[in-house]
Amino acid sequence: MLKKVFASAVFGVEASTITVEVNVDKGVGYHLVGLPDNAIKESNYRIAAALQNNGYRIPGKKITINMAPADLRKEGSAYDLTLAIGILAASNQIKAENLGDYLIMGELSLDGSLQPFKGALPIAVKAREEGFKNIILPVQNCKEAAIVDDIKVFGVENITQVINHFDKGEPLEQTIINTREEFYKSLDFPEFDFADVKGQESIKRCMEIAAAGGHNIILIGPPGSGKTMLAKRLPSILPPMTLHEALETTKIHSVVGRVKAHAGLMAQRPFRSPHHTISNVALVGGGSYPQPGEISLSHNGVLFLDELPEFKREVLEVMRQPLEDREVTISRAKFTVTYPSSFMLVASMNPSPSGFFNDPDAPITSSPAEMQRYMGKISGPLLDRIDIHIEVTPVPFEKLSDERQGESSVDIRKRVTKAREKQTERFKDLENIHYNAQMNSRQIRAYCKLDDASMLLLKSAMERLNLSARAYDRILKVARTIADLENAQEVSGVHISEAIQYRSLDRDGWLG
């Protein structure tokens, strides 16, 4: 007898429906075809033990299982439950008339209980698109899948519940989540707040500009000046995620199994801080079975690279294209996967190997040759993709011991959100542009028009600092953001001169 059960395979951040065809015939043997990986090939041992321990068995007949489409590689142990129900239905051990309305997935333990799997959210999205009415999956994944409207999600703890549902008509408990209510309830502020930062008013201003326009930023300063502290607080002043952004971000984290158990939508913007020993594959994604890398996990959030020159040069170079395109495409001989990677890059570095460049009271100083070698680890093209360079100086004792609270993230966030709203209105007719940092040359010419005095100021700065054409664009983008924060219609000389200040690494004495 032939039975069809439906499951799903995750490919990139999208899912594809898999039809599991189970045929039980005369003879002996167990044949699993359709490009399964080793985890799926081993499933018959788990299924046999789980069924045995719950009063059922794999029949001693010829069982042929095809996972269609047969040319698409299937990975992981999430098909155990699908195969087990297919075998029981095809061997007439259970009745299952309406099996075609369900998408069924889950990893089996030997006692029949279910273990969670990766990618429940993209699978639920695809199931709804394909017209499935119900989805059965482990209880740990049900909240993640229940984000999707118009499909009934049933979380189960063991295979017996699924068998009894089909065979005896016992109802399963549906997981219902009011996505909007859950999402807005979780939009509280993160634990890190700018009110904790003493002094550093100019750096806070810089962070506000970066957040308002989505600009990449690099902080240069000696050890202990507060670079990491400031970077960790950046997500707290970014505008709250929209529902669409939250869904997109949760999808990526779901694929790598990073969504917390029993959690629904991610409401906080991600903040990723990889160690400097990271490989280029771990950063941009890939591998023999491609997975999203750190730049995709920080999509719609912040990627913080602490001690930038300590990262291997080839690792930093692979970031250049994703920084421009805001997506990363991984190509293999048989397939191509594209992951979104629209993130804000925040980098920090010491100004020299000793950490105390230009400090006359420093205990250690570095020679010009050491400085050149240290700064040479970061390529000019990568620095050009960073809109704002700012020096962070140590906080004097008077500021550190000051009892007064600084401005809170809540207040800064209000101004940032207002500036972002202006940009959303400005770019409403453009599909892939939402804030100033995403502008290309054409939009810069349209929205950053300068009067003669401002143009002269910018020209002399470009010549004096020997800036590249890309740096020219960066200055105009940052100036446009400063104007938005001040609610100004046009970019003026004041905005240009402030934006020029934020190109520290272009000045003489740094990368000469």
Side-chain angles (χ1 to χ4, degrees):
M1 187 176 176
L2 174 68
K3 277 285 180 186
K4 290 185 180 180
V5 196
F6 296 96
S8 201
V10 177
F11 193 67
V13 288
E14 302 299 329
S16 300
T17 300
I18 302 293
T19 306
V20 177
E21 302 168 325
V22 185
N23 190 61
V24 176
D25 208 348
K26 288 175 186 171
V28 179
Y30 183 93
H31 308 285
L32 181 59
V33 294
L35 282 186
D37 72 349
N38 283 337
I40 303 172
K41 286 174 187 170
E42 293 165 355
S43 65
N44 61 323
Y45 300 111
R46 290 191 294 272
I47 292 166
L51 293 182
Q52 187 80 41
N53 289 325
N54 286 277
Y56 295 88
R57 62 188 173 78
I58 289 186
K61 294 185 178 180
K62 184 181 177 185
I63 301 171
T64 307
I65 302 172
N66 177 42
M67 304 180 81
D71 61 343
L72 181 71
R73 187 166 177 83
K74 329 299 183 299
E75 302 166 28
S77 51
Y79 302 99
D80 292 0
L81 185 60
T82 323
L83 299 174
I85 295 299
I87 290 167
L88 290 175
S91 60
N92 280 327
Q93 293 183 64
I94 63 169
K95 298 195 296 286
E97 285 84 15
N98 57 344
L99 211 50
D101 294 340
Y102 289 80
L103 191 138
I104 303 169
M105 291 194 80
E107 179 191 326
L108 280 173
S109 294
L110 300 187
D111 62 355
S113 60
L114 290 169
Q115 301 296 327
F117 60 90
K118 296 175 184 175
L121 180 55
I123 284 169
V125 170
K126 187 67 177 177
R128 182 183 63 182
E129 279 175 25
E130 300 269 317
F132 286 97
K133 298 185 178 74
N134 315 288
I135 180 168
I136 294 175
L137 69 179
V139 72
Q140 297 96 319
N141 292 116
C142 64
K143 214 167 180 189
E144 196 182 315
I147 293 166
V148 182
D149 302 331
D150 304 327
I151 187 166
K152 289 180 180 173
V153 176
F154 301 104
V156 290
E157 291 181 354
N158 57 60
I159 192 171
T160 313
Q161 289 173 265
V162 186
I163 292 169
N164 291 345
H165 175 67
F166 287 115
D167 197 32
K168 299 172 185 171
E170 288 183 11
L172 293 172
E173 190 180 338
Q174 186 185 347
T175 305
I176 300 170
I177 290 181
N178 184 331
T179 310
R180 288 176 183 278
E181 190 184 300
E182 284 275 318
F183 175 63
Y184 291 117
K185 188 174 72 182
S186 309
L187 274 183
D188 54 351
F189 292 93
E191 53 184 314
F192 301 114
D193 195 307
F194 266 101
D196 308 330
V197 181
K198 304 285 186 187
Q200 305 290 28
E201 300 309 323
S202 61
I203 318 299
K204 285 186 197 170
R205 163 75 176 166
C206 215
M207 288 292 209
E208 185 179 332
I209 294 165
H215 302 288
N216 301 323
I217 181 169
I218 184 165
L219 307 169
I220 312 125
S225 55
K227 303 184 295 292
T228 307
M229 187 182 188
L230 287 156
K232 279 186 177 171
R233 280 153 181 74
L234 183 60
S236 70
I237 61 168
L238 287 170
M241 279 209 283
T242 62
L243 263 171
H244 174 71
E245 284 178 327
L247 190 66
E248 212 176 27
T249 309
T250 310
K251 227 173 166 183
I252 298 165
H253 285 250
S254 171
V255 168
V256 291
R258 293 278 172 85
V259 178
K260 290 177 185 146
H262 305 294
L265 269 181
M266 289 175 63
Q268 297 296 340
R269 290 187 180 273
F271 178 85
R272 306 291 299 176
S273 179
H275 193 257
H276 64 256
T277 53
I278 192 170
S279 69
N280 46 15
V281 171
L283 188 68
V284 298
S288 50
Y289 304 127
Q291 289 275 293
E294 288 289 338
I295 61 171
S296 296
L297 290 172
S298 51
H299 179 60
N300 290 325
V302 174
L303 177 70
F304 177 48
L305 301 183
D306 202 0
E307 305 300 343
L308 189 68
E310 301 301 331
F311 283 79
K312 293 193 280 290
R313 184 165 178 138
E314 67 267 21
V315 171
L316 296 178
E317 294 307 292
V318 293
M319 270 203 323
R320 279 160 53 174
Q321 177 252 337
L323 275 170
E324 288 287 302
D325 299 346
R326 301 194 175 270
E327 63 179 27
V328 59
T329 302
I330 295 155
S331 297
R332 296 287 177 267
K334 291 185 180 176
F335 57 82
T336 301
V337 180
T338 299
Y339 295 116
S341 58
S342 179
F343 59 91
M344 260 186 78
L345 174 65
V346 181
S348 78
M349 61 182 281
N350 294 329
S352 65
S354 66
F356 297 97
F357 174 64
N358 277 353
D359 185 350
D361 305 321
I364 318 162
T365 54
S366 301
S367 69
E370 284 176 324
M371 277 291 301
Q372 194 63 45
R373 195 162 56 247
Y374 182 72
M375 297 302 288
K377 290 182 181 178
I378 309 165
S379 69
L382 179 68
L383 278 176
D384 269 352
R385 285 168 169 81
I386 299 174
D387 301 353
I388 298 174
H389 313 157
I390 187 77
E391 289 177 65
V392 184
T393 51
V395 183
F397 178 78
E398 294 73 35
K399 290 272 176 71
L400 279 176
S401 54
D402 193 348
E403 290 297 315
R404 283 177 299 179
Q405 282 275 330
E407 191 178 20
S408 75
S409 292
V410 184
D411 297 332
I412 302 172
R413 189 188 228 182
K414 283 175 187 162
R415 294 197 295 272
V416 168
T417 307
K418 203 173 280 183
R420 280 280 180 106
E421 282 165 0
K422 276 180 76 78
Q423 293 163 46
T424 305
E425 179 61 29
R426 179 182 301 134
F427 304 125
K428 66 180 180 209
D429 298 329
L430 301 167
E431 193 181 338
N432 295 319
I433 296 179
H434 308 290
Y435 44 85
N436 291 337
Q438 295 173 320
M439 285 194 289
N440 60 28
S441 301
R442 187 187 299 166
Q443 280 112 36
I444 291 170
R445 285 197 300 274
Y447 300 117
C448 307
K449 291 193 174 79
L450 300 180
D451 57 28
D452 293 342
S454 304
M455 192 60 87
L456 198 64
L457 172 70
L458 183 54
K459 181 174 181 282
S460 64
M462 294 275 304
E463 287 166 357
R464 201 170 67 249
L465 298 173
N466 195 23
L467 300 179
S468 68
R470 192 181 264 118
Y472 168 82
D473 285 353
R474 304 288 166 193
I475 289 170
L476 287 176
K477 285 183 192 180
V478 173
R480 178 67 266 175
T481 303
I482 296 166
D484 288 341
L485 279 167
E486 292 178 7
N487 208 12
Q489 291 302 315
E490 298 297 328
V491 178
S492 70
V494 181
H495 307 136
I496 289 287
S497 55
E498 186 177 353
I500 292 166
Q501 286 176 32
Y502 302 140
R503 299 295 299 180
S504 290
L505 292 180
D506 294 321
R507 293 184 206 143
D508 288 341
W510 278 105
L511 292 173

